[in-house]
């Protein structure tokens, strides 16, 4: 049963993210990009419960991602040895991604919680912060992917083919016009597959079950 522990946080993070988005976008719907300040405030007044619930669930997903990042760091550091500079880099990128993910729905949550006390301009400004945090998460994920890829190419902490995939995804995120899709789809899929490798994969260099799984 212990070997399956690393599978849990990554899948939990993605599930919570998806559920949060579904609640916000599916129940409440999206705010039009050209919406006026008054329209933005009206949206939150009509959907305050859905926005609050969906935002909270999404933010819990970011916390689960931190748990995933800790388990990943253990695998990478054990393989890299020493001070583990690239393992640390990957972990820092993962934590930054999680922190920015916490901020993506935070502005909307703040408006939903205090919708009767927030003016239209403030609601519009808080709503717009989601884009800023989204970009921060997108860029931070590049650091996570490249750090993990470097360690894996050097030590096979993760399969080398997966390190190549990680580099491709990192390049995808760098490309601004399409990078947002890499964060929405690529990073969650990468998280699930990486969690599966951590739980069931074997060290390619030694043919042993990963030590992280028993930790």
């Amino acid at each position: 049963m212990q070997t399956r522990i690393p599978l849990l946080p990554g899948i939990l993070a993605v599930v919570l993210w998806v559920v949060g988005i579904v609640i916000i976008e599916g129940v409440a719907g999206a705010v039009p990009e050209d919406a006026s300040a008054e329209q933005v405030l009206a949206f939150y007044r009509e959907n305050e419960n859905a926005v609050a619930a969906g935002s909270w669930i999404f933010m819990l997903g970011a916390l689960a991602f931190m748990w995933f990042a800790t388990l990943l760091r253990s695998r990478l550091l054990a393989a890299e040895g020493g001070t583990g500079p690239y393992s640390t880099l990957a972990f820092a990128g993962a934590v930054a991604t999680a922190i920015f993910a916490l901020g993506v729905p935070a502005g909307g949550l703040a408006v939903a919680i205090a919708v009767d006390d927030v003016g239209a301009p403030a609601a519009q400004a808080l709503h717009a912060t989601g884009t800023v945090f989204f970009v921060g998460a997108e860029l931070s994920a590049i650091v996570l992917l490249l750090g993990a890829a470097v360690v894996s190419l050097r030590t096979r902490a993760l399969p080398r083919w997966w390190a190549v995939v990680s580099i491709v995804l990192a390049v995808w995120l760098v490309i601004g016009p399409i990078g947002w899709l890499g964060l929405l789809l690529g990073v969650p899929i990468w998280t699930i597959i990486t969690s599966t490798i951590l739980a069931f994969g074997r060290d390619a260099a030694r043919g042993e079950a990963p030590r992280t799984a028993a930790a």
Side-chain angles (χ1 to χ4, degrees):
M1 187 68 179
Q2 282 185 325
T3 58
R4 299 182 183 180
I5 290 177
L7 189 64
L8 177 60
I11 292 180
L12 180 62
V14 174
V15 168
L16 290 172
W17 284 337
V18 171
V19 171
I21 292 173
V22 168
I23 292 176
I24 297 174
E25 300 286 346
V27 176
V31 179
E33 292 185 4
D34 59 348
S36 65
E38 289 72 19
Q39 289 174 322
V40 171
L41 181 58
F43 168 84
Y44 282 101
R45 281 177 175 165
E46 295 172 3
N47 303 284
E48 56 182 298
N49 292 330
V51 171
S55 298
W56 190 258
I57 292 172
F58 186 92
M59 294 168 80
L60 290 177
L63 298 184
F65 188 78
M66 287 188 185
W67 180 14
F68 159 79
T70 300
L71 297 179
L72 176 61
R73 177 183 180 275
S74 296
R75 166 73 78 88
L76 297 177
L77 185 59
E80 186 178 14
T83 59
Y86 291 103
S87 302
T88 302
L89 182 68
F91 182 68
V95 172
T97 301
I99 291 174
F100 279 115
L102 283 169
V104 169
L109 177 61
V111 177
I113 291 175
V115 69
D116 293 329
D117 301 316
V118 176
Q124 186 177 45
L126 286 169
H127 175 74
T129 60
T131 301
V132 177
F133 283 105
F134 186 92
V135 173
E138 180 181 335
L139 295 177
S140 298
I142 297 171
V143 178
L144 160 63
L145 294 166
L146 292 181
V150 170
V151 176
S152 298
L153 288 174
R154 289 182 169 185
T155 68
R156 298 187 185 180
L158 301 174
R160 288 183 175 175
W161 65 267
W162 191 236
V164 174
V165 172
S166 300
I167 293 173
V168 172
L169 179 54
V171 173
W172 183 3
L173 294 174
V174 170
I175 305 173
I178 61 174
W180 63 271
L181 187 59
L183 183 64
L184 282 179
L185 295 180
V187 171
I189 293 173
W190 183 89
T191 300
I192 291 175
I193 295 178
T194 302
S195 296
T196 303
I197 293 172
L198 291 177
F200 299 109
R202 290 180 176 275
D203 188 313
R206 294 182 304 227
E208 299 176 354
R211 294 180 181 179
T212 304

